[in-house]
Amino acid sequence: VIPGWFSEISPMWPGEARSLKIDKILFQGKSDYQNVIVFQSSTYGKVLVLDGVIQLTERDECAYQEMITHLPLCSIPNPRKVLVIGGGDGGVLREVARHVSVEKIDICEIDKMVVDVSKEYFPSVAVGYDDPRVTLHIGDGVAFLKAVPEGTYDAVIVDSSDPIGPAQELFEKPFFESVARALRPGGVVCTQAESIWLHMHIIEDIVANCRQIFKGSVNYAWTTVPTYPSGVIGFMLCSTEGPTVDFKNPINSIDTDDSHVKTNGPLKFYNSEIHSAAFCLPSFAKKVIESK
Ligand code: AAT
C-alpha cells in the first residue's frame, strides 16, 4: 500500500488493485452493514467506497448509472413503475427520472448511511431523490421483493454491490425468482453483473439461472467504467414471458423529450448506438454466455 493512495484490494480480484491518489479524506464511518469512506481524489473527483470497494467516482459514474438504467428502460415502451434495489447514492434514480412515462419509482437500499452520505457529498448524484415520483424504503432488497405483489413493476434495476457482504443474496437464484414474480408479463430486469475479465464463473451461474427463470429474452451487456475492477462492468438483462423485448434494438428513445436535462443535467454517456454495441461480446465471453 502506497501512503497517500487508496488501493482497492479484494479477494474478488486477487493480484491486482486499482489505486487513486487521495487529496483529502472527507468522511469515514461504520454503518450497521459496512465501512463507508468518501475521499477527494486528485483525478476522479469525489469517491464513495464501501468495505474497501469503489462504488462510484464523480468523473465516471455516468457510464455505469446511465447504462444500467437506460439499457432496460429504453428497451420497452412507456415504462411506468420502476423498482431500484441498492443504488442508495441516488444516481440510478436520477436516470430513471429522465423517463417522462414513469409514474412511480420505488427504491430499496439496505444502508441509510449511503443515502445520507450521498446527499451530503454527492449532490449531483443524489439529485435523483428530489423527484416527487421517488419513494425510499430502507431495508434488504431480498425481503422487500418477496413482499411485492405479483406483476407490479415494468422494470427492476438491481444496482448492487459485489457478492461479498450484504449483496450476496442478490446474486442467487431465489432472488431472481422473486424479481421475475414482481414483474408484469414482458417486464424487464437489469442487474449489475460483474466483469467479463474477472468473473466469468459468476456470470456463467447468473446466466444459467436466468435462462431457467426468465422465459422472454436473456442477454448480457457491458460497458467501460475506468474505476471499477478491470475497467469494465456488465449487466444481465432479462424479460419475463409476454410481449417480446429485443434488448439489442432500443425502441424507446429518451432523446425525443429533453425536459429532464434542466433538472438532471445532460446525458454524458448513453446513446442508442452505444446501447446496441453494449451487447457485442468478445469471443471468449460469447462462447461461455451463449452455451449456458
Ligand atoms: N450506484 C453505485 C453503485 C453501486 S451501489 C450498491 C448499493 O447496494 C450500496 O449502496 C449497498 O449498500 C446496496 N446494497 C447492498 N446489499 C443490498 C441489499 N441486500 N439490499 C439493498 N441494497 C443493498 C454498486 C457498485 C458496484 C461495484 C462493482 N465493483
Side-chain angles (χ1 to χ4, degrees), residues 67-179:
M67 291 298 271
I68 199 173
T69 307
H70 304 308
L71 289 178
L73 295 190
C74 292
S75 297
I76 54 172
N78 302 312
R80 293 208 312 270
K81 288 188 182 155
V82 180
L83 170 65
V84 180
I85 300 286
D89 51 82
V92 171
L93 301 175
R94 179 192 68 203
E95 296 308 316
V96 176
R98 295 184 193 278
H99 291 260
V100 286
S101 64
V102 169
E103 294 160 5
K104 186 164 177 38
I105 312 171
D106 285 321
I107 173 166
C108 180
E109 159 65 49
I110 203 166
D111 195 343
K112 185 166 183 296
M113 191 180 277
V114 175
V115 179
D116 295 341
V117 159
S118 184
K119 285 182 177 171
E120 179 155 359
Y121 296 99
F122 299 90
S124 65
V125 178
V127 63
Y129 285 103
D130 296 345
D131 194 284
R133 294 166 291 179
V134 171
T135 309
L136 169 64
H137 309 261
I138 296 292
D140 181 7
V142 176
F144 183 88
L145 260 172
K146 277 189 192 143
V148 167
E150 208 176 316
T152 301
Y153 294 104
D154 299 290
V156 174
I157 297 169
V158 187
D159 176 13
S160 109
S161 29
D162 300 314
I164 294 185
Q168 193 184 331
E169 282 185 69
L170 303 180
F171 288 79
E172 291 169 2
K173 196 172 178 188
F175 176 73
F176 286 102
E177 283 165 346
S178 33
V179 171

Side-chain angles (χ1 to χ4, degrees), residues 53-74:
V53 177
I54 297 172
Q55 305 293 301
L56 63 85
T57 80
E58 285 180 313
R59 178 166 158 196
D60 65 4
E61 55 91 10
C62 60
Y64 176 78
Q65 327 256 34
E66 291 182 19
M67 291 298 271
I68 199 173
T69 307
H70 304 308
L71 289 178
L73 295 190
C74 292

Side-chain angles (χ1 to χ4, degrees), residues 8 34 47 53 95 112 117 123 136 141 145 153 156-157 162 167 172 183 190 201 214 218-219 221 238 251 273 284-285:
E8 189 186 44
Q34 48 210 349
V47 184
V53 177
E95 296 308 316
K112 185 166 183 296
V117 159
L136 169 64
L145 260 172
Y153 294 104
V156 174
I157 297 169
D162 300 314
E172 291 169 2
L183 286 170
C190 180
H201 53 292
F214 294 93
V218 174
N219 286 106
C238 309
I251 49 150
E273 291 79 44
F284 75 87

